[in-house]
Amino acid sequence: MHRNVGDTSCNYEERYYPFSRFLKKKFPFKVYKIPVNAGFTCPNMSGELGSGGCIYCANESFSPNVKERRLSIKEQVKAGKEFLKKRYGAEKFIAYFQSFTNTYADVNVLKERYEQALGEDDIVGISIGTRPDCVSDEVLQLISGYSRKFHTWIEYGLQSMHDRTLIKINRGHLFNDCEDAVNRTKGLGIFICLHVILGLPDEDREDMIKTANAVSTLNIDGLKVHHLYVAKNTALADEYFNGNVKTMSIEEYVPLVVDFLEHIPANVTIQRLMGDTNGKFLISPIWTLSKSKILELIKNEFNRRGTFQGSKCFRLAENNLIQEV
Ligand code: SF4
């Protein structure tokens, strides 16, 4: 099955390859993602793998729709469409199954829930967020089937390539689970996005660059980069108050995220560049700048250096990954 990210990539003006430009190239109309809480749980919370979850996980803090479970999937999609049309002039939509682990159920249950969203008007795509150790081949075949008619993504939480970190943050999976999931997903017509966190406990810049290099080798299509933040009611919050964990200032984060992106292939579209949490759950860091201002600082840092996404990627020469700079 053919899957094509399309022509690459970053240009000097943007310095990295934002998802908005990816979508503009792909669709002749304005496309936005609608977050959906489909009522799944997570094997790292249900007792199957563990019950405490990842140490930073307060799902309600980063899934704004988590309280919307009382709404059906169809109702969430309708409400999301209305909001995005009014706010941004959106025309078509990707249903983003965001909360918890959206492949953690029997395949028939998954099918029924995905198709509730896909059956709504103006839905042109689906994006399914999950853990890399929670996708059977049967589930991948189901999702692959949607790619014939819909723009189809799967998003795997990797967070770090270092097993010692994954153990420390209680992910419940290792790096090779992610490699395995990505390899089994390739060739099925599904776009692959990975999530990583910068600033995890006991990781320094070199560790994070190693994660960027590992991501590069996986030959994926999209990436979400988050900064570590501490939310209320998490094990990470206890560590933070005990002085065992630090968070980053904007001044620390901006050069770090630029370092990271310099090592990511230029044809990987960047879907996110910072963590996003509901303010009432946030303990640290408290960044007072708006998201757009932080993005501007990131671009300014690229400009100052004269570099761009992929400019230090070891795959650059190998695959001629930067074509449009
Ligand atoms: S995999 Fe996701 S939902 Fe599950 S515990 Fe970790 S962060 Fe929370």
Side-chain angles (χ1 to χ4, degrees):
M1 195 174 297
H2 184 64
R3 176 181 58 77
N4 185 7
V5 165
D7 54 341
T8 54
S9 52
C10 61
N11 61 32
Y12 272 130
E13 205 182 312
E14 282 166 323
R15 300 279 174 176
Y16 67 93
Y17 186 18
F19 193 47
S20 54
R21 187 146 58 81
F22 172 92
L23 290 173
K24 263 186 210 156
K25 285 180 177 177
K26 200 117 200 111
F27 297 103
F29 28 69
K30 280 189 184 172
V31 176
Y32 280 76
K33 279 168 107 170
I34 298 175
V36 169
N37 175 10
F40 298 117
T41 59
C42 172
N44 204 14
M45 291 170 144
S46 67
E48 186 174 331
L49 284 173
S51 52
C54 307
I55 62 168
Y56 53 81
C57 178
N59 215 281
E60 69 274 21
S61 79
F62 53 78
S63 300
N65 54 331
V66 87
K67 291 261 169 10
E68 301 298 330
R69 185 53 198 130
R70 62 189 178 276
L71 295 182
S72 70
I73 292 171
K74 280 176 180 296
E75 286 167 333
Q76 290 176 57
V77 170
K78 280 199 172 93
K81 282 199 296 193
E82 217 166 282
F83 172 77
L84 292 166
K85 276 181 184 173
K86 228 183 256 171
R87 180 86 172 251
Y88 302 109
E91 296 166 284
K92 303 283 179 186
F93 305 90
I94 295 169
Y96 174 29
F97 285 73
Q98 178 186 29
S99 309
F100 299 97
T101 300
N102 292 281
T103 52
Y104 188 44
D106 179 83
V107 73
N108 294 314
V109 175
L110 297 176
K111 183 174 188 304
E112 189 271 324
R113 296 198 192 169
Y114 299 155
E115 291 179 12
Q116 277 190 46
L118 290 172
E120 286 298 298
D121 290 344
D122 296 327
I123 296 293
V124 293
I126 183 166
S127 193
I128 296 166
T130 189
R131 298 167 53 87
D133 59 350
C134 195
V135 276
S136 65
D137 289 339
E138 189 185 17
V139 169
L140 285 174
Q141 284 303 326
L142 170 72
I143 298 169
S144 173
Y146 300 133
S147 70
R148 292 186 202 105
K149 206 169 150 204
F150 296 96
H151 183 64
T152 302
W153 284 83
I154 194 159
E155 302 187 25
Y156 292 124
L158 165 63
Q159 319 311 358
S160 169
M161 66 83 63
H162 302 283
D163 286 346
R164 64 175 161 78
T165 303
L166 296 175
I167 291 165
K168 189 171 183 82
I169 63 175
N170 198 35
R171 279 293 296 174
H173 66 76
L174 299 176
F175 177 62
N176 63 10
D177 292 303
C178 192
E179 282 181 303
D180 174 57
V182 167
N183 289 332
R184 285 187 296 112
T185 308
K186 279 181 191 165
L188 295 177
I190 305 168
F191 290 88
I192 303 169
C193 179
L194 297 185
H195 296 197
V196 298
I197 299 176
L198 300 185
L200 285 167
D202 299 336
E203 287 206 354
D204 62 17
R205 180 191 170 282
E206 294 319 308
D207 292 322
M208 292 178 249
I209 297 304
K210 280 184 188 154
T211 293
N213 290 337
V215 165
S216 303
T217 63
L218 292 177
N219 198 14
I220 50 145
D221 308 297
L223 187 66
K224 286 186 177 174
V225 184
H226 304 80
H227 65 285
L228 181 72
Y229 63 78
V230 181
K232 287 178 188 163
N233 308 322
T234 61
L236 188 64
D238 298 337
E239 292 283 304
Y240 177 78
F241 287 124
N242 287 336
N244 299 327
V245 167
K246 284 194 174 130
T247 56
M248 281 180 283
S249 65
I250 296 216
E251 291 72 24
E252 290 168 303
Y253 184 67
V254 167
L256 180 64
V257 79
V258 169
D259 287 345
F260 192 85
L261 290 181
E262 286 171 349
H263 291 80
I264 296 296
N267 63 336
V268 172
T269 182
I270 306 301
Q271 295 203 17
R272 182 177 279 278
L273 274 177
M274 68 201 83
D276 204 6
T277 184
N278 183 323
K280 71 178 178 186
F281 293 100
L282 182 62
I283 294 173
S284 178
I286 309 279
W287 291 350
T288 50
L289 293 179
S290 66
K291 205 188 272 187
S292 59
K293 186 69 195 159
I294 298 169
L295 292 178
E296 198 182 311
L297 292 177
I298 291 170
K299 285 177 194 174
N300 290 346
E301 177 65 9
F302 271 122
N303 287 337
R304 191 188 66 75
R305 297 182 187 193
T307 60
F308 41 85
Q309 179 184 334
S311 59
K312 294 184 182 159
C313 174
F314 68 93
R315 289 183 54 214
L316 181 63
E318 184 190 317
N319 287 335
N320 192 22
L321 283 166
I322 297 185
Q323 295 160 358
E324 278 187 3
V325 292

